[in-house]
Amino acid sequence: MKLDKKVVAAVNAAVVAYIEAEKVAVQAARPARFAGPATDSWSQSGRQEIMRHRQMWQLRIVSR
């Protein structure tokens, strides 16, 4: 049985297109990450500093 090169190329292209469509569908199904102000490094650093100060006050380490 001899295979036609055009048919093989068409089948290959269809399989590749199907795989790409599946990848796109998987990415579209993922929930988008919220990239709000909470991800900003400056605000994250500030919140960590506030938490550290609060912990110091709760442990009564901070001098008055």
Side-chain angles (χ1 to χ4, degrees):
M1 182 172 152
K2 187 171 183 178
L3 296 174
D4 186 15
K5 289 183 181 181
K6 290 181 182 179
V7 173
V8 172
V11 170
N12 188 28
V15 170
V16 170
Y18 176 78
I19 292 172
E20 288 296 321
E22 285 294 315
K23 286 180 184 178
V24 170
V26 167
Q27 288 178 352
R30 288 185 192 151
R33 288 181 29 167
F34 177 70
T39 59
D40 183 65
S41 60
W42 283 103
S43 58
Q44 183 179 6
S45 171
R47 280 190 297 277
Q48 287 175 348
E49 188 70 20
I50 290 169
M51 288 187 287
R52 196 173 306 117
H53 282 281
R54 182 175 179 207
Q55 183 183 23
M56 299 282 269
W57 277 106
Q58 288 175 342
L59 297 173
R60 302 196 192 280
I61 294 175
V62 176
S63 62
R64 292 183 183 199

